[in-house]
Amino acid sequence: MEVVPDVSFTVRDAVRLYGIDNWGAGYFDVNEQGRLTIRPNRDDRAVDLYGLLARLRKRKMRFPMLLRFPQILTNRVNELFDAFEKSIAEYSYGNRYLGVFPIKVNQKKEVVDELVAAGRDRGMGLEAGSKAELAVALSHKLSPDALIICNGYKDAPYVRMALRGVEMGKRVFLIVEKPQEIELILRVSKEVGVQPLIGMRIRLHARGSGKWEKSGGQASKFGLTTQEVLEAIELLKRGDALNSFRLVHFHVGSQIPEIKRIKAAVKEGARVYAKLRAAGAPLEVLDVGGGLGVDYDGSKTTYEASMNYTLQEYANDVVYIVREICGAEGVPEPSIASESGRALVAYHAMLVCEVRGQNATPAEAADLMVPQDVHDVLREMKDILEGMTRKNHREYYHDALEKREELYGLFDLGYLSLRERALGERLYDAIARTAVRFAKEDRFVPEEFEDLEKKLITKYIANFSVFQSIPDSWALDQLFPVVPIHRLGDEPTVPATLCDVTCDSDGEVDRFVDLRDVKDHLDLHVQDGKPYYVAILMIGAYQDVLGDYHNLFGIVDEAHVAVGPGKAVRILATQPGDRARDVIRLFSYEPDDLAKAVEAQARAAVREKKLTKAQAQSIVDEYKEALDAYTYLDFSQ
Ligand SMILES: *Cc1c(COP(=O)(O)O)cnc(C)c1O
């Protein structure tokens, strides 16, 4: 029954099994000790994650734990600018690249600060989709030519805030999403006495593809139709403000897996730019939006979790197409902006959680001994188990199904003890596992056994919340690589899924990266009673802010880590996650009032002689302590 571990399994086999070289992008590897490593600068300086965790534990950090590697952010910013600058040089493009980070992809201060610092000298800007995001963007001291792009629907205060930014000398562009916004912008601009910088988001015929393709195309929620662009220009002319119209923007969705979709969008967008420019709009910038993908599964395909192009290919295509079209239309080449968010931040963060327990353990031979004095049905099941062969496994399995029905029938009628029922269930489980093993030896595995195999996948219970830490895994079935951070020199022999600690059956990760397909399980190591840690990787984009408080599991402990100078691994900062009192307060409870309410009830019980004073006191003390505790499970006591 037990799968015998292959002693020749090496860390290289682990790298292959989990696909680390496929999706790791040079950031992830496994060392000779069988531990997952991360190289934030993509050089030879690696962080041994298991060793890092030991240090963080000493600092009282708890699991689940979010680890951020800010150097990855710098590395990504450099790669993005390098790629565009290389294309610009190669095609002798007559203008520059200006990257813009969309704040909605990760609003965390340390993340935005790091990106801005990394790109300051190269003209890195920010994109905001709301007043609050604009407030963040304006607070940054960017280079004077950097762009601040204001997307999203707008009201007068949003417009006013943007204009104040212009007044401060920043290049804050108001991107028009609806023609009526022109009137609003012109009115507020008159009030404030500042000439606006206006961009228009155009609605392309070309669509993205993948999960987010609704963001583009004719039916999109966003952007101006061709007719509306013409109307908007009329409105600008009438307001004597055509001179404000400096930018054309489009965005066809996030995580675009196919380069041909990107090329089609850029062709169309560049043509619109060129026509408008030729018609007299004083345009300076073409903003190609987001959508630059991340290869989460490493398959390099057009699958939604992947991408069939490289960053350099993306930059080359954008620059080349814009140049060609501007040449054909005889208009000046604009600055090219992109709003690449996911591609900058996805890699920098990971969640490490501890696995404790599993839903069911396969029975050992000793557990399947059938004593003399039990019901015949159990002896018959044992005979099925022992007599099963590759040849008869199908028939024997069907017999076992019948016996299992009989087992429950007898139990319902009161003929079986709980102990007998337990033994019957374990025998059935062992039969099913044996049958699946035989079935898989055949070339053709009947559907029946494929389904049965799925039911036998072990559920590992991990101390985290899908809803708080990887919401897109639940909401969109998004794939994130999952890898144990240690024991990688040993063969993992348990096909498992990862269940979180919420009371929601959706709180489970049961789709895993695979080169050809999506796997319904991950091979993990046998639980040996010692702590077992797995990391969920590449969760730096969108997950931080979309996380929710299902079951009141809160924000997790967090550490920021860098490597260097030399090979030293430095813990730059640690931030404690939510306490129970923090998440309770989010839902309008006042934790101190709750403590008082418990205290009042305990005192009443003392008056009624149901509790002693000492008992009441310790109840109240412990209640208060619990309010200060981490919201996740604490295995240390
Ligand atoms: C969300 C969004 C982005 C970011 O897209 P990524 O795929 O993360 O690069 C860029 N621009 C706009 C308008 C967006 O809404």
Side-chain angles (χ1 to χ4, degrees):
M1 272 297 298
E2 277 287 289
V3 186
V4 182
D6 175 0
V7 286
S8 65
F9 190 88
T10 70
V11 296
R12 287 296 112 196
D13 295 316
V15 168
R16 227 178 342 254
L17 174 68
Y18 295 110
I20 296 172
D21 281 348
N22 303 329
W23 46 256
Y27 292 117
F28 300 98
D29 202 356
V30 177
N31 65 17
E32 285 310 309
Q33 287 81 50
R35 296 164 174 182
L36 187 65
T37 62
I38 186 163
R39 290 186 293 246
N41 306 294
R42 279 209 256 215
D43 54 17
D44 61 346
R45 295 172 298 168
V47 180
D48 175 326
L49 288 164
Y50 192 79
L52 171 64
L53 288 184
R55 287 175 58 191
L56 290 167
R57 291 290 292 155
K58 282 209 189 98
R59 296 196 182 194
K60 301 278 179 269
M61 295 278 292
R62 301 154 295 186
F63 295 101
M65 203 185 285
L66 187 80
L67 302 180
R68 291 190 201 278
F69 297 87
Q71 287 166 325
I72 291 187
L73 298 171
T74 298
N75 190 268
R76 298 300 296 166
V77 168
N78 286 332
E79 303 249 332
L80 179 65
F81 277 85
D82 287 350
F84 271 96
E85 285 165 14
K86 189 163 168 233
S87 311
I88 283 171
E90 184 163 333
Y91 299 122
S92 311
Y93 185 78
N95 211 321
R96 63 181 299 195
Y97 170 71
L98 291 164
V100 170
F101 175 68
I103 295 178
K104 77 155 194 275
V105 186
N106 193 316
Q107 293 89 339
K108 179 124 182 136
K109 177 174 189 301
E110 290 85 343
V111 173
V112 179
D113 285 354
E114 185 77 22
L115 293 167
V116 165
R120 184 172 286 122
D121 295 340
R122 306 179 85 166
M124 176 84 178
L126 292 167
E127 185 259 11
S130 67
K131 276 176 281 193
E133 288 184 357
L134 178 56
V136 170
L138 288 176
S139 73
H140 282 277
K141 193 166 163 14
L142 306 172
S143 86
D145 40 4
L147 306 175
I148 295 179
I149 304 287
C150 302
N151 284 320
Y153 297 129
K154 290 164 199 72
D155 59 6
Y158 189 176
V159 172
R160 197 170 300 128
M161 196 191 255
L163 292 171
R164 292 299 186 188
V166 174
E167 202 175 12
M168 286 164 73
K170 296 173 189 274
R171 295 179 83 192
V172 186
F173 280 85
L174 284 158
I175 307 299
V176 174
E177 304 262 8
K178 298 185 298 184
Q180 301 90 300
E181 285 180 352
I182 298 265
E183 287 164 40
L184 174 71
I185 292 169
L186 294 184
R187 172 168 67 77
V188 178
S189 124
K190 234 183 229 123
E191 274 167 37
V192 180
V194 175
Q195 191 197 333
L197 290 169
I198 292 178
M200 290 192 202
R201 176 163 178 170
I202 54 174
R203 190 175 293 226
L204 297 183
H205 168 69
R207 302 168 64 111
S209 58
K211 276 189 195 304
W212 286 270
E213 68 171 89
K214 281 207 307 280
S215 313
Q218 297 296 343
S220 159
K221 170 176 162 189
F222 303 103
L224 304 175
T225 62
T226 316
Q227 175 61 26
E228 287 172 332
V229 171
L230 297 176
E231 282 167 24
I233 288 174
E234 274 316 301
L235 286 173
L236 285 175
K237 281 186 177 156
R238 231 178 288 150
D240 200 18
L242 188 61
N243 191 34
S244 288
F245 181 26
R246 304 286 180 86
L247 179 149
V248 166
H249 165 72
F250 60 86
H251 172 68
V252 289
S254 198
Q255 182 64 18
I256 297 175
E258 278 187 88
I259 191 69
K260 74 170 191 215
R261 303 290 189 138
I262 288 168
K263 287 161 91 167
V266 174
K267 270 183 198 153
E268 190 181 344
R271 189 68 71 173
V272 173
Y273 157 83
K275 297 275 186 211
L276 290 169
R277 186 75 176 76
L283 296 169
E284 297 168 347
V285 184
L286 176 63
D287 175 356
V288 301
L292 175 58
V294 166
D295 198 356
Y296 290 97
D297 71 4
S299 64
K300 302 179 173 62
T301 61
T302 58
Y303 180 62
E304 61 188 24
S306 186
M307 57 198 271
N308 71 349
Y309 55 95
T310 62
L311 168 58
Q312 190 62 57
E313 186 180 349
Y314 174 82
N316 288 350
D317 285 341
V318 171
V319 171
Y320 180 80
I321 291 169
V322 177
R323 195 197 67 168
E324 285 298 289
I325 290 175
C326 291
E329 298 274 352
V331 296
E333 291 159 0
S335 303
I336 294 175
S338 83
E339 303 173 348
S340 308
R342 180 187 299 277
L344 288 183
V345 297
Y347 291 95
H348 92 283
M350 67 167 81
L351 184 82
V352 182
C353 48
E354 185 175 358
V355 171
R356 276 285 177 130
Q358 58 196 55
N359 64 332
T361 325
E364 310 267 338
D367 302 325
L368 299 173
M369 300 277 277
V370 177
Q372 281 304 312
D373 56 345
V374 294
H375 196 282
D376 277 347
V377 68
L378 296 167
R379 236 180 312 280
E380 288 157 13
M381 288 175 90
K382 177 80 173 192
D383 289 344
I384 291 174
L385 177 62
E386 285 174 348
M388 188 176 269
T389 63
R390 181 169 169 187
K391 251 196 173 131
N392 70 17
H393 70 270
R394 202 164 180 187
E395 183 189 336
Y396 271 44
Y397 171 65
H398 294 151
D399 292 346
L401 284 175
E402 237 171 74
K403 288 295 156 203
R404 189 174 63 155
E405 286 311 303
E406 201 179 322
L407 178 85
Y408 288 120
L410 288 164
F411 180 80
D412 287 350
L413 293 171
Y415 292 120
L416 295 186
S417 68
L418 279 173
R419 197 173 299 279
E420 284 169 312
R421 173 173 161 151
L423 178 57
E425 286 173 347
R426 305 195 97 173
L427 283 165
Y428 169 77
D429 183 71
I431 292 166
R433 285 174 198 276
T434 311
V436 166
R437 190 158 49 86
F438 283 129
K440 283 172 72 174
E441 286 175 17
D442 285 341
R443 192 128 39 116
F444 171 74
V445 182
E447 206 177 306
E448 172 182 30
F449 289 106
E450 278 183 356
D451 293 346
L452 182 60
E453 187 182 17
K454 278 187 197 138
K455 285 193 201 135
L456 296 175
I457 292 172
T458 304
K459 291 181 190 298
Y460 271 16
I461 318 293
N463 187 14
F464 80 113
S465 160
V466 164
F467 306 93
Q468 176 63 253
S469 294
I470 44 168
D472 279 349
S473 163
W474 162 69
L476 299 164
D477 271 342
Q478 201 192 313
L479 284 175
F480 296 102
V482 179
V483 186
I485 66 159
H486 56 142
R487 297 176 65 184
L488 292 166
D490 304 329
E491 188 182 13
T493 53
V494 183
T497 61
L498 274 193
C499 291
D500 73 4
V501 290
T502 67
C503 304
D504 192 315
S505 50
D506 279 346
E508 179 176 4
V509 182
D510 57 4
R511 299 172 77 255
F512 300 93
V513 303
D514 189 33
L515 261 200
R516 267 168 246 311
D517 208 348
V518 176
K519 283 199 288 200
D520 59 6
H521 68 270
L522 192 65
D523 292 313
L524 291 173
H525 298 87
V526 173
Q527 294 217 43
D528 57 3
K530 298 200 192 97
Y532 183 58
Y533 304 111
V534 296
I536 302 172
L537 305 174
M538 291 160 69
I539 62 166
Y542 297 100
Q543 306 312 294
D544 281 292
V545 69
L546 294 175
D548 77 14
Y549 291 85
H550 204 1
N551 275 131
L552 298 189
F553 288 108
I555 291 176
V556 306
D557 279 3
E558 179 171 326
H560 303 173
V561 180
V563 52
K567 299 207 167 178
V569 175
R570 281 181 304 139
I571 298 168
L572 305 173
T574 59
Q575 297 170 358
D578 284 331
R579 300 163 298 177
R581 66 164 61 240
D582 302 320
V583 294
I584 287 172
R585 188 175 283 125
L586 288 178
F587 296 90
S588 342
Y589 300 95
E590 186 39 62
D592 292 337
D593 292 347
L594 299 190
K596 276 187 203 128
V598 168
E599 202 165 353
Q601 291 173 66
R603 255 196 250 118
V606 172
R607 279 196 302 277
E608 291 162 23
K609 306 254 185 288
K610 289 183 183 148
L611 288 178
T612 68
K613 256 194 167 150
Q615 279 172 322
Q617 191 56 48
S618 69
I619 287 170
V620 171
D621 290 348
E622 273 198 29
Y623 182 86
K624 288 182 180 164
E625 225 170 87
L627 284 177
D628 287 328
Y630 198 33
T631 58
Y632 294 87
L633 307 191
D634 177 0
F635 297 125
S636 70
Q637 42 181 319

